[in-house]
Amino acid sequence: KVSDLTGMTSSLNPSQRFSGVAQAQESVDIKADSSRKIDQIFVSEGQSVKKDDQLFSYQTDDLQNTIDNDNLSIESLSNDISALNEEIADLNSQMQSAAQNDKFQYTTQIQAKQMQIRQDQLDIQTKQNEIKHTQQEIDQSVVKSTIDGVVKAINDTSSTNSDGSTKPLMTI
């Protein structure tokens, strides 16, 4: 009991004093993703934080540029598909009036264009998945505290511990 330690009860002599160090029950190291750049740190050493308080954020400009480029690629691929479909329609109409021995060439050209359409559709799907993944990174660009506590240390350089491991960005 605290009252026993402070000498406020009759079981201890009031002249007895105790010294010691209070330690946190839990300490959390927050490591930064080494593949991303820190944009802003929202807390300072000694500051109290609650669970879900914003601690720091990553830069997202490059990620947004990637999404914009992927969207342009999708638009270009969609235009290519439209053009290929028009070419297929033209080849089909030309094939109708072509001599029987020329129809094989038209069929081969049509099949090649259909294969290119399938490849472009696959490329569009891949770009859409990349956009989804990149958007998730943007959405997770702000790192929040997982516990209530006090910011013990902030290491805003990428230094390492004596064992060679990367030091955490901050400790709560």
Side-chain angles (χ1 to χ4, degrees):
K1 284 186 184 176
V2 172
S3 58
D4 289 340
L5 293 175
T6 58
M8 299 302 227
T9 64
S10 58
S11 64
L12 293 175
N13 183 339
S15 63
Q16 290 179 312
R17 298 278 183 224
F18 301 93
S19 63
V21 177
Q23 280 190 301
Q25 291 178 343
E26 182 180 5
S27 179
V28 175
D29 288 339
I30 310 291
K31 294 192 176 195
D33 183 343
S34 61
S35 67
R36 299 178 73 184
K37 292 182 182 176
I38 303 294
D39 182 40
Q40 189 175 2
I41 297 177
F42 303 118
V43 295
S44 57
E45 286 185 24
Q47 181 178 338
S48 292
V49 294
K50 299 274 185 210
K51 183 178 180 183
D52 293 328
D53 281 356
Q54 295 181 348
L55 301 175
F56 64 95
S57 64
Y58 293 108
Q59 291 179 355
T60 59
D61 296 345
D62 291 344
L63 296 173
Q64 187 58 52
N65 288 339
T66 300
I67 288 176
D68 293 343
N69 288 335
D70 286 347
N71 279 324
L72 287 174
S73 295
I74 288 172
E75 186 177 336
S76 176
L77 289 165
S78 295
N79 290 338
D80 290 348
I81 289 171
S82 295
L84 286 166
N85 280 324
E86 288 175 16
E87 291 174 25
I88 289 171
D90 287 345
L91 288 170
N92 275 324
S93 70
Q94 291 172 15
M95 186 169 68
Q96 297 300 324
S97 60
Q100 188 63 30
N101 58 349
D102 292 335
K103 289 188 178 191
F104 178 73
Q105 287 180 335
Y106 284 106
T107 302
T108 303
Q109 290 177 11
I110 289 170
Q111 288 175 344
K113 292 185 186 305
Q114 288 171 334
M115 286 299 293
Q116 184 59 51
I117 288 173
R118 286 189 200 100
Q119 181 61 50
D120 288 351
Q121 289 170 333
L122 180 62
D123 291 346
I124 287 173
Q125 217 172 15
T126 301
K127 291 290 182 190
Q128 289 171 333
N129 287 336
E130 289 172 6
I131 288 171
K132 183 179 176 182
H133 174 73
T134 304
Q135 186 60 52
Q136 287 174 342
E137 282 189 66
I138 290 173
D139 293 343
Q140 297 169 355
S141 66
V142 175
V143 176
K144 298 179 179 182
S145 177
T146 57
I147 62 169
D148 294 345
V150 175
V151 178
K152 292 182 196 175
I154 297 177
N155 176 29
D156 52 2
T157 61
S158 335
S159 56
T160 56
N161 292 318
S162 58
D163 64 359
S165 63
T166 304
K167 284 186 178 181
L169 177 65
M170 60 181 65
T171 303
I172 300 176

